[in-house]
Amino acid sequence: MELPVISNAAIPNSGCRSGATADRGALAHLPDHIRVRVQDHPCYSEEAHHYFARMHVAVAPACNIQCNYCNRKYDCSNESRPGVVSELLTPEQAVKKTLAVAAAIPQMTVLGIAGPGDPLANPERTFATFRMLSAQAPDIRLCVSTNGLSLPDAVEELARHNIDHVTITINCVDPEIGARIYPWIFWNKRRIRGVEGARILIEQQQKGLEMLAARGMLVKVNSVMIPGVNDEHLQDVSKIVKAKGAFLHNVMPLIAQASHGTYYGLTGQREPTQFELQALQDVCAGDMAMMRHCRQCRADAVGLLGEDRGEEFTLDKIDAMEIDYGAAMAERARVREAITAELEMKRALKAVPKFEEAATREETTTRNLRVAVATKGGGLVNEHFGHAREFLIYEAGPGECRFLGHRKCTPYCMGDESCGDGETVLGQIIAALEGVEVVLASKIGFEPWNGLESAGIRPNGEHAMEPIEEAIRMVYDEMAAAGKLDTVVVDTVARAA
Ligand code: CLF
Ligand code: SF4
């Protein structure tokens, strides 16, 4: 089969647009010329992740370091949840898969290489894939995630292939801490252990970061939060990487279960709680923009963040597909144009100052409210409570609504009529929703409704198919008007004085 070239011409997403209507959320501090380069990337923009999808191709099996949270028979823990990569691909197979996914999922805008090992420890395979894709699919953004050890040597070639988005996993800037995370690195054909290995890794990461920033490439830093090892240190990491030119920091929770066979998993290193993670993200947010919607994807993930459609695109299934690339590319252009127009409209609406609301709310501040939302994407309340595999958590206050993160769960309904094993699953969901007062879903069954109410959580199915933030705002305003959100004593006299 001759593979097509995906044209850039009909796709408005790739064009430049005014920063005046750009994503003003977590990226608000960015200069406009950077914001327009990240606002349609599902990982770099929280808003975009409701609409645009990414895919990873697993072409990079080897790694040049060892992390204590990784067992390489599984996906790279930096960028993946544990689980074996279904298929390791050759560069040619990766291109074929990418084009098939691009045809089937028009909103797929980003192709990343994130494992299962380190992409830059497999430079031939990684760059062969990028080379072919930049020629055959110029509308797809190319993205790479690395531990940074080989980064300085790869910067030239990354730039040559127009790879504009690079993630470096930086867990520390102190070699003593590094020695507790990395038992060894492989450097100049030798295995180097302990503090010395960590020192070299840190130097290479920092050098690579500076080189990328000097070229104007967009660097995101991922850090794995490891309680008792680097949790208190990550605020310093945030400060330093920001000073060196990274613009987004993604602090992710350690995944360390004994069944994964990692050093940390086997030695009982604990994972952070959701509250600890959020507290650290809040502390680091004082220094730079934080990513809070990371799903720690598999190295062969396909689809919107939080969903995994990889099973639909195995090589044998792709071989059996009859794809009309011409029609698919026209549909791709149409869908992406519609999404882009919708996002532009929402951004424009958000940018309109709300003078009246601000004036009245200043008089009567109410407490904040945490809301969990079941969604399938599109920025809408459009998922049945019983089908939700995760809930997005927002905190609404009198003046703003901010995204805090997501909480994963087992779906209450397991896909059959019997709706799960009831109480056990619901109990787990309620535990995952700790701190949440309202759940918004397109529909909520009788049993879980009662269970949520008994746990002090208000179920709400009245906002099906409504935009998430508008629905939350309505719920907040209704509860405030009904006096259900305690009014905080607002010291208007002191304020006036
Ligand atoms: Fe992939 Fe990573 Fe690029 Fe995104 S994932 S290489 S930047 S396209 Fe995204 Fe997944 Fe988190 Fe990574 S949600 S694990 S941050
Ligand atoms: Fe595993 Fe990634 Fe660490 Fe390599 S860099 S050991 S693949 S987590």
Side-chain angles (χ1 to χ4, degrees), residues 297-359:
C297 322
R298 291 173 59 96
D300 56 3
V302 175
L304 292 171
L305 300 192
E307 72 175 3
D308 189 2
R309 297 179 58 181
E311 289 277 293
E312 296 171 39
F313 299 98
T314 54
L315 289 177
D316 54 339
K317 286 183 182 158
I318 291 170
D319 278 340
M321 287 176 185
E322 286 186 19
I323 302 171
D324 178 344
Y325 282 101
M329 293 313 136
E331 176 65 2
R332 184 172 166 80
R334 190 194 66 72
V335 169
R336 291 177 66 176
E337 188 169 4
I339 293 173
T340 303
E342 187 182 330
L343 272 174
E344 287 290 348
M345 192 181 70
K346 285 188 173 175
R347 288 165 183 156
L349 286 172
K350 266 190 195 171
V352 175
K354 296 177 179 163
F355 295 113
E356 277 185 31
E357 284 181 35

Side-chain angles (χ1 to χ4, degrees), residues 231-303:
D231 48 346
E232 292 179 2
H233 176 60
L234 282 177
Q235 197 181 353
D236 290 339
V237 172
S238 218
K239 281 195 180 99
I240 288 168
V241 299
K242 181 185 181 188
K244 294 195 172 176
F247 74 94
L248 190 60
H249 194 187
N250 175 22
V251 178
M252 310 180 294
L254 172 72
I255 299 171
Q257 291 164 26
S259 59
H260 299 156
T262 63
Y263 174 82
Y264 281 150
L266 294 171
T267 55
Q269 167 65 49
R270 79 172 177 88
E271 300 171 351
T273 66
Q274 287 167 341
F275 283 99
E276 287 171 332
L277 176 69
Q278 195 186 310
L280 179 59
Q281 288 172 333
D282 286 346
V283 169
C284 292
D287 294 306
M288 69 185 299
M290 299 302 295
M291 177 179 185
R292 296 174 191 261
H293 60 284
C294 177
R295 301 302 203 278
Q296 292 173 281
C297 322
R298 291 173 59 96
D300 56 3
V302 175

Side-chain angles (χ1 to χ4, degrees), residues 31-51:
D32 285 348
H33 72 279
I34 291 183
R35 195 160 45 235
V36 295
R37 288 159 68 197
V38 300
Q39 64 190 1
D40 299 326
H41 190 303
C43 299
Y44 287 75
S45 162
E46 192 277 316
E47 182 188 52
H49 99 277
H50 297 288
Y51 301 90

